[in-house]
Amino acid sequence: MSWFVEVWEQFYTAFLEKDRYLAFLKGFGTTLEVSFFAVILGVALGVILAIAKYMAANHKGCRPLGWIANIYITIIRGTPVYVQMLIIYYLILTARGIPAIISGVLCFGINSSAYVAEIIRAGIEAVDRGQMEAGRSLGLSEMRTMKSIIMPQAVRNILPALGNEFIVLIKETAVIGGITVLDVTKVAMNVGNSNYDYLTPLLIAALMYLVVVIILTKLLSMFERRLAKSDRR
């Protein structure tokens, strides 16, 4: 019983006292906001990179685009996201007075784009090559065929993987406090600084991440089952 009372007191101090739960909720809102806009940026850049690699593989004149895309992807995937965030924040954006949260969105969007590009590339390659030939035989240009025939089928294949990328991105943003953004992890650390108890607020932050990830995972599973049912019709 005394153990339960002690745990409750620690929870109350870390989460309820002085309405600290409002700071946790606001911080987690910042986490979701950064993740949402970063994944949009990542998908936009990923599509461009994937198409560049596709064009380079099928047209000799476009090979320089493929080299640029490969170099970009190699650098981004081969360096830690935390280091990328610090470089973007301190060397590029701080001198121009751009808010730290924008730096975070750019960093995680750029980082995500390298992984999204490979997801989209795999989705495009999963579409039967005969689809391109069929589109060209109907008189469509290669780009029109890609836009109207190939990409819709590829998107259908990659949506579950993109959902997983969004889930991973939410967890990766836990380091954004390193550039003074008040996300939920940074809020937990601030509460720990004031109470000299870091474990309880960090456990609360971890639980908030866990709940959202479980919800998103369930929604993603439901979506995949609906796609599977439609494929069998």
Side-chain angles (χ1 to χ4, degrees), residues 132-173:
M132 176 62 76
E133 297 172 1
R136 297 305 301 275
S137 68
L138 293 173
L140 300 177
S141 66
E142 186 171 2
M143 289 305 297
R144 182 65 183 275
T145 303
M146 174 65 70
K147 177 183 176 181
S148 302
I149 298 177
I150 304 299
M151 286 306 295
Q153 297 181 64
V155 167
R156 185 183 181 86
N157 294 332
I158 66 177
L159 278 178
L162 288 179
N164 286 326
E165 173 63 20
F166 181 55
I167 291 173
V168 170
L169 190 60
I170 290 176
K171 293 183 290 183
E172 286 183 341
T173 58

Side-chain angles (χ1 to χ4, degrees), residues 88-166:
I88 291 174
Y89 179 68
Y90 288 111
L91 296 184
I92 301 175
L93 299 178
T94 301
R96 293 168 175 78
I98 297 175
I101 193 170
I102 301 298
S103 303
V105 170
L106 288 175
C107 168
F108 291 106
I110 290 171
N111 183 267
S112 180
S113 68
Y115 297 92
V116 170
E118 292 301 298
I119 292 172
I120 295 175
R121 179 192 59 78
I124 292 174
E125 291 182 353
V127 178
D128 191 278
R129 290 184 176 273
Q131 297 291 317
M132 176 62 76
E133 297 172 1
R136 297 305 301 275
S137 68
L138 293 173
L140 300 177
S141 66
E142 186 171 2
M143 289 305 297
R144 182 65 183 275
T145 303
M146 174 65 70
K147 177 183 176 181
S148 302
I149 298 177
I150 304 299
M151 286 306 295
Q153 297 181 64
V155 167
R156 185 183 181 86
N157 294 332
I158 66 177
L159 278 178
L162 288 179
N164 286 326
E165 173 63 20
F166 181 55

Side-chain angles (χ1 to χ4, degrees), residues 36-54:
F36 177 76
F37 288 107
V39 80
I40 291 177
L41 177 60
V43 169
L45 293 176
V47 169
I48 294 172
L49 291 168
I51 292 177
K53 293 189 69 172
Y54 175 84

Side-chain angles (χ1 to χ4, degrees), residues 3-223:
W3 175 84
F4 179 80
V5 172
E6 182 180 355
V7 170
W8 167 254
E9 289 177 350
Q10 291 174 344
F11 173 79
Y12 180 85
T13 302
F15 193 67
L16 299 177
E17 190 176 65
K18 299 180 181 179
D19 293 333
R20 288 192 173 105
Y21 68 92
L22 295 176
F24 274 96
L25 293 176
K26 185 177 181 181
F28 201 72
T30 300
T31 295
L32 295 178
E33 181 182 1
V34 170
S35 301
F36 177 76
F37 288 107
V39 80
I40 291 177
L41 177 60
V43 169
L45 293 176
V47 169
I48 294 172
L49 291 168
I51 292 177
K53 293 189 69 172
Y54 175 84
M55 296 298 292
N58 292 275
H59 299 280
K60 292 183 179 180
C62 296
R63 284 182 179 175
L65 290 177
W67 298 336
I68 294 172
N70 284 327
I71 292 172
Y72 174 94
I73 291 172
T74 299
I75 292 174
I76 297 300
R77 295 179 69 179
T79 54
V81 65
Y82 188 70
V83 175
Q84 295 168 14
M85 181 181 67
L86 294 177
I87 291 173
I88 291 174
Y89 179 68
Y90 288 111
L91 296 184
I92 301 175
L93 299 178
T94 301
R96 293 168 175 78
I98 297 175
I101 193 170
I102 301 298
S103 303
V105 170
L106 288 175
C107 168
F108 291 106
I110 290 171
N111 183 267
S112 180
S113 68
Y115 297 92
V116 170
E118 292 301 298
I119 292 172
I120 295 175
R121 179 192 59 78
I124 292 174
E125 291 182 353
V127 178
D128 191 278
R129 290 184 176 273
Q131 297 291 317
M132 176 62 76
E133 297 172 1
R136 297 305 301 275
S137 68
L138 293 173
L140 300 177
S141 66
E142 186 171 2
M143 289 305 297
R144 182 65 183 275
T145 303
M146 174 65 70
K147 177 183 176 181
S148 302
I149 298 177
I150 304 299
M151 286 306 295
Q153 297 181 64
V155 167
R156 185 183 181 86
N157 294 332
I158 66 177
L159 278 178
L162 288 179
N164 286 326
E165 173 63 20
F166 181 55
I167 291 173
V168 170
L169 190 60
I170 290 176
K171 293 183 290 183
E172 286 183 341
T173 58
V175 300
I176 200 173
I179 55 173
T180 70
V181 175
L182 274 177
D183 70 320
V184 67
T185 305
K186 185 67 173 179
V187 169
M189 292 300 295
N190 289 344
V191 172
N193 289 335
S194 63
N195 294 338
Y196 303 103
D197 172 23
Y198 292 94
L199 180 60
T200 304
L202 287 173
L203 286 175
I204 292 170
L207 182 61
M208 296 176 75
Y209 278 110
L210 180 63
V211 169
V212 171
V213 167
I214 288 174
I215 292 172
L216 290 175
T217 302
K218 291 291 185 184
L219 292 174
L220 186 59
S221 298
M222 292 170 59
F223 179 71

